Amino acid sequence: MPTMVAETARSKENRTPGVWTRLLHRPLALIGLAVIIVVVGAAALAPWVVPYDPHEQFFEGLTIEGAPLPPNSQFWLGTDLVGRDLLSRLIYGARTSLVIGVVANGIAVVIGSLVGIAAGYFRGWVDTVLMRFTDLMMAFPALLLAIVLAAIFTPSLWIVAMVIAMVNWVQIARVVYTETRSIAERDFVTAERAMGAGAGRILFRHILPHLLSTIIVWATLGIATTVLLEATLSFLGIGVQPPIPSWGNIIFENQTYFTSAPWLVFIPGAAILALALAFNLVGDALRDVLDPTQQGRH
């Protein structure tokens, strides 16, 4: 028995570097991972890396006509319509977008996974109730439902995160439900039931491990969707409210200067696009690496 335990431990240790090795051999995944590390690092170190207070208004940050300054040696990304440093607000805005992305998507993944596993395994009335409720939620356009919920509650950082989580869990619930039904019908699950194994053992020892790759991939890809949805809500004025900076409300505040100062819209828009694309690249690579059917194909 000790020998078997030792061999199992060694096999786990050997598998872990293999996953990272396959992931690190994908150039696009490395690019996405580098972007994520840079954004997360800048957001975490924001108080120490920003050149100015993101709320400070500079008289020299506006032209004589009162227009924002373009990128220059003092303000690297220029200033906004009230003379605030755009780079400082962009870095602090990354904090807001990442917090909402991680928190909202984490809640959505947990809710969706629990609903999908319960409905897919227990079937019967549990399946009917949970999946019909999921279908009802999917019948509403996600953005429209988020707008309605955000308008009902007083917008704040955590309210926006909860609103996004409430509209984003349905997709992963559907995916997990379908996979759980498929796994629950396999021979090894049937054999476990015949041997008297309880639902808890089957779910945690046999079904959940097969779902982990799907859940991890959806958790990664979902952050990109969440960041985009937060930016959309903030752009519409019902997301995170000023003076708290977020990439969406930076665009919202400066949209009137789109033609005369396009960097005020283009730069935060490019940041949103880059972060969403980075999470998509990493999520796609994780799907290939963690899916056992893909191993050996690359």
Side-chain angles (χ1 to χ4, degrees):
M1 183 65 67
T3 303
M4 294 178 61
V5 173
E7 289 179 354
T8 303
R10 282 197 297 270
S11 66
K12 289 182 179 179
E13 292 174 359
N14 292 334
R15 284 199 300 268
T16 303
V19 170
W20 280 105
T21 300
R22 291 194 297 273
L23 183 63
L24 295 178
H25 276 79
R26 297 171 180 270
L28 291 178
L30 288 179
I31 293 173
L33 195 59
V35 172
I36 293 172
I37 291 173
V38 169
V39 174
V40 171
L45 301 175
W48 298 277
V49 300
V50 294
Y52 305 102
D53 187 316
H55 306 298
E56 185 175 358
Q57 301 177 13
F58 296 92
F59 289 110
E60 65 273 24
L62 298 172
T63 63
I64 297 176
E65 295 80 11
L69 288 177
N72 56 74
S73 58
Q74 181 180 0
F75 304 105
W76 291 1
L77 296 183
T79 60
D80 64 6
L81 72 168
V82 292
R84 296 172 297 192
D85 179 51
L86 182 60
L87 176 60
S88 301
R89 293 188 62 77
L90 202 67
I91 293 175
Y92 268 90
R95 278 185 147 190
T96 304
S97 297
L98 285 171
V99 166
I100 291 180
V102 172
V103 173
N105 192 60
I107 296 172
V109 167
V110 171
I111 295 174
S113 299
L114 291 176
V115 170
I117 291 173
Y121 180 77
F122 292 107
R123 309 286 183 88
W125 67 269
V126 177
D127 181 354
T128 302
V129 171
L130 292 179
M131 284 300 101
R132 295 300 75 77
F133 178 69
T134 302
D135 292 341
L136 178 64
M137 293 292 293
M138 292 184 71
F140 293 95
L143 179 59
L144 180 60
L145 182 58
I147 291 174
V148 172
L149 293 174
I152 293 174
F153 301 101
T154 303
S156 68
L157 184 67
W158 302 112
I159 291 297
V160 171
M162 291 300 299
V163 166
I164 294 175
M166 290 171 65
V167 301
N168 269 3
W169 64 268
V170 291
Q171 289 82 9
I172 188 172
R174 264 294 172 188
V175 172
V176 171
Y177 166 73
T178 302
E179 292 204 10
T180 302
R181 287 198 60 167
S182 175
I183 296 170
E185 294 174 353
R186 294 183 184 177
D187 293 339
F188 64 88
V189 175
T190 304
E192 281 289 320
R193 289 199 190 98
M195 294 173 63
R201 175 183 173 85
I202 294 174
L203 286 173
F204 289 101
R205 293 290 299 274
H206 299 285
I207 293 181
L208 187 58
H210 285 78
L211 295 172
L212 280 180
S213 61
T214 299
I215 293 173
I216 291 172
V217 169
W218 272 86
T220 307
L221 295 174
I223 294 178
T225 304
T226 304
V227 168
L228 291 173
L229 185 54
E230 181 277 325
T232 303
L233 292 176
S234 295
F235 173 74
L236 294 174
I238 54 177
V240 179
Q241 298 298 298
I244 300 175
S246 79
W247 291 346
N249 67 28
I250 289 174
I251 298 176
F252 172 72
E253 291 176 336
N254 299 291
Q255 60 181 320
T256 54
Y257 281 83
F258 176 70
T259 55
S260 59
W263 66 88
L264 295 177
V265 175
F266 175 77
I267 293 176
I272 295 170
L273 176 62
L275 186 61
L277 180 60
F279 276 109
N280 281 329
L281 290 174
V282 174
D284 185 64
L286 282 174
R287 180 194 61 195
D288 294 339
V289 168
L290 295 176
D291 186 355
T293 63
Q294 300 292 327
Q295 294 180 12
R297 295 188 179 182
H298 301 278

